[in-house]
Amino acid sequence: MAEESRHFLRNRRFGLKTLTVVAFMFFLGGFVMSPGINHIAASTAETPAPAVQASAEQAPPTSPFTALAAKLTPSVVNVKVTKVEKAGLAGRDIPDGPFGDFFKHFFDDQQGMPNRPVQGAGSGVIINANGTILTNNHVVEGAREVTVTLNDKRELPAQIVGRDPKTDLAVLKIDAGKNLPAASMGDSDQLKVGDWVMAIGNPFGLSHTVTSGIVSAKGRVIGAGPYDDFIQTDASINPGNSGGPLFNMKGEIVGINTAIIPNAQGIGFAIPIDTAKPLIPQLVSTGEVSRGYLGVNIQSVTPDLATALNLSSSKGALVAEVVTGGPADKAGIKRGDVIVAFGGKEVADSHDLPVLVAASPLGKDVAVTLLRNGKEQQVTAKITKLEQQEPVAGEQRQPAQGKWGLQLQDLTPEVAKQLGVKSDHGVVVVGVQPGSPADRASIQQGDVILEVNHQPVKSAEEVKNQAESANSLLVLIKSSQGTHYAVLKG
């Protein structure tokens, strides 16, 4: 089983680079060449009733999942994918030690050999009787050929109609020559922690496997992307379940299974079906998703930031940067504002705002409620289309000093060019002392300090003057990840 797990992880790296996930988690749609089975005792979905002597008049009890499984299994499909892997060293684990050079030389010699096809597997669910299928993007991304196997064992070629890497969703289409059994979509917002759910998929190539469990949590943010809002479930899901449905007890799709924590039992994640609903028509009609754009960089309001900004709570999304000429800029939103509602919906945390903005119709005027200097204001922003953007760059180094643990340097054009810093004002951090307040605030070499305690700074001397007698500092930082606030405590 250990060898099979290594085999799955090696091949899973292929072609799935668009979706970045936290290091301890991997996606479920993998390449499984030789599936095996671990014989592990598993608990039943319900506490068994005491054994009773069956009589002619008394039928044995039936699981509530029995009828659901019989009804819903025909709507679930197996998705087989053929991708092309480059020959040679790429994607291979080379051992350390005396044999490492031998294997490296061997694989280097293969670089000129033809690329080879690699088989992958996942799951999907029919959402329209015409053969429209919903699955995960990472299952089919980079596919040269996609084949769908129905419950009746028929294998049909599938066309990739549309993909959305940001939410890890994809739509396929098959022509079965007749209407197919389609599952209906439910309301994932109505799910409650503790509700029973059922998963159907093809883990390790074991076709149409049915498992059950409960909703363990909602709104999980696992670092998969800007629109994280996962359902956590303990229904058993494994590699190969990716793209398969998570059903409620009404037999409705409430999620699309997508990820697990590999070394944990009973921790799986599904994309809420309410995330997919508004995207499916776009994927079917245009092959991609158009999202709304506000033009701000935001961050969560930590308790320290709430204190520094004189806020009564940690709710909302703190605006760390406003894009010049963007919708937020035109609406009058400023750096330091805290957005607490968007389009009439509460923004409880910074993770709420991107989802609300993305779902906004393009060209629509949206009411934005914000806190500025502790007072509530409302502005109106006209939402435009989100274009693909390159991340802001910024890097570089050197030692540190002072009680805050910072070594600073004036940001001249020459220094900016030398350090690769894309900023024309501020003070560059060239060193951070380990264990210092700056280190604890996650300030890094190459970051640029733009403000200290709401005051713009243009030189290291200005920062020193602002910081000299202060017990804490609220600094505005421009880093490779964008612009954000940080609190330093002495």
Side-chain angles (χ1 to χ4, degrees):
M1 189 62 187
E3 177 58 31
E4 177 189 327
S5 298
R6 288 194 295 270
H7 185 73
F8 166 73
L9 288 172
R10 285 198 300 270
N11 288 285
R12 174 66 191 86
R13 295 184 190 129
F14 171 81
L16 306 179
K17 296 180 180 176
T18 58
L19 188 60
T20 304
V21 185
V22 286
F24 67 86
M25 180 205 69
F26 68 96
F27 288 100
L28 306 180
F31 300 113
V32 184
M33 307 292 192
S34 305
I37 300 175
N38 259 355
H39 298 283
I40 303 174
S43 61
T44 57
E46 295 183 335
T47 304
V52 294
Q53 183 68 38
S55 65
E57 295 81 18
Q58 184 180 28
T62 302
S63 163
F65 297 100
T66 304
L68 281 179
K71 175 185 175 182
L72 300 172
T73 294
S75 68
V76 181
V77 301
N78 183 16
V79 180
K80 296 179 182 177
V81 177
T82 300
K83 303 184 181 185
V84 177
E85 183 181 81
K86 292 182 178 180
L89 189 60
R92 300 180 184 274
D93 294 324
I94 304 301
D96 296 325
F99 295 103
D101 290 339
F102 168 78
F103 282 107
K104 185 177 185 303
H105 176 73
F106 172 76
F107 289 128
D108 283 344
D109 287 344
Q110 289 187 312
Q111 295 292 340
M113 297 178 64
N115 295 338
R116 62 174 188 166
V118 176
Q119 298 295 322
S123 305
V125 60
I126 301 169
I127 56 173
N128 191 304
N130 67 4
T132 302
I133 295 168
L134 186 61
T135 186
N136 280 149
N137 173 69
H138 77 259
V139 171
V140 298
E141 184 178 32
R144 187 180 68 181
E145 184 179 286
V146 180
T147 302
V148 165
T149 305
L150 301 176
N151 187 49
D152 61 12
K153 308 302 181 185
R154 282 186 297 159
E155 292 190 356
L156 300 171
Q159 173 192 0
I160 301 175
V161 174
R163 299 190 300 109
D164 182 38
K166 290 183 182 294
T167 56
D168 195 25
L169 292 169
V171 172
L172 310 178
K173 182 71 166 61
I174 59 173
D175 183 5
K178 64 177 183 178
N179 285 344
L180 295 173
S184 59
M185 288 184 274
D187 186 348
S188 54
D189 279 350
Q190 296 302 312
L191 275 181
K192 294 180 174 58
V193 174
D195 281 351
W196 284 103
V197 286
M198 183 174 72
I200 305 179
N202 301 282
F204 295 105
L206 299 171
S207 177
H208 293 89
T209 295
V210 179
T211 57
S212 65
I214 62 170
V215 174
S216 304
K218 293 179 64 180
R220 288 297 196 205
V221 176
I222 60 176
Y227 309 114
D228 278 18
D229 184 28
F230 290 98
I231 299 166
Q232 181 183 329
T233 178
D234 68 349
S236 181
I237 51 179
N238 290 284
N241 271 107
S242 263
L246 188 70
F247 292 106
N248 62 16
M249 296 305 288
K250 296 178 183 178
E252 301 167 328
I253 307 169
V254 290
I256 299 297
N257 299 317
T258 190
I260 60 174
I261 297 175
N263 295 323
Q265 294 184 6
I267 302 180
F269 301 98
I271 302 164
I273 199 62
D274 285 359
T275 298
K277 283 179 186 176
L279 307 184
I280 293 171
Q282 293 188 62
L283 291 173
V284 170
S285 61
T286 67
E288 60 182 8
V289 174
S290 295
R291 291 185 167 86
Y293 173 66
L294 183 59
V296 291
N297 283 346
I298 57 172
Q299 65 185 99
S300 296
V301 182
T302 64
D304 286 341
L305 281 172
T307 301
L309 295 169
N310 295 317
L311 300 174
S312 59
S313 74
S314 298
K315 291 184 177 180
L318 174 61
V319 177
E321 184 176 20
V322 179
V323 177
T324 303
D329 185 29
K330 294 177 181 178
I333 297 174
K334 300 181 182 298
R335 177 188 293 154
D337 289 346
V338 178
I339 298 174
V340 294
F342 183 87
K345 296 185 178 180
E346 181 187 13
V347 177
D349 187 79
S350 61
H351 294 104
D352 295 338
L353 186 61
V355 177
L356 294 173
V357 173
S360 299
L362 304 184
K364 179 183 177 182
D365 288 333
V366 178
V368 182
T369 305
L370 52 87
L371 299 176
R372 181 179 296 169
N373 299 324
K375 296 180 179 180
E376 185 173 294
Q377 299 186 25
Q378 190 170 86
V379 299
T380 301
K382 186 181 290 293
I383 303 303
T384 60
K385 182 181 178 180
L386 174 65
E387 305 291 347
Q388 195 67 26
Q389 297 178 345
E390 294 296 323
V392 180
E395 283 292 328
Q396 220 60 32
R397 322 210 152 23
Q398 283 169 24
Q401 57 184 232
K403 76 172 185 176
W404 302 108
L406 287 168
Q407 181 170 339
L408 307 172
Q409 188 171 345
D410 294 350
L411 187 60
T412 64
E414 294 76 17
V415 170
K417 183 178 180 180
Q418 178 185 358
L419 299 181
V421 174
K422 292 188 177 179
S423 181
D424 56 2
H425 64 284
V427 180
V428 67
V429 177
V430 293
V432 177
Q433 182 178 345
S436 66
D439 185 34
R440 293 195 296 271
S442 299
I443 295 176
Q444 300 178 0
Q445 298 167 334
D447 289 350
V448 176
I449 298 177
L450 303 176
E451 294 180 2
V452 176
N453 292 337
H454 301 294
Q455 299 299 314
V457 290
K458 298 180 180 179
S459 67
E461 189 66 26
E462 288 185 6
V463 176
K464 180 180 177 183
N465 292 337
Q466 289 282 344
E468 208 164 31
S469 59
N471 293 320
S472 65
L473 300 178
L474 176 66
V475 294
L476 183 66
I477 299 291
K478 187 173 186 177
S479 71
S480 59
Q481 305 302 314
T483 306
H484 65 277
Y485 286 96
V487 176
L488 281 66
K489 291 185 174 181

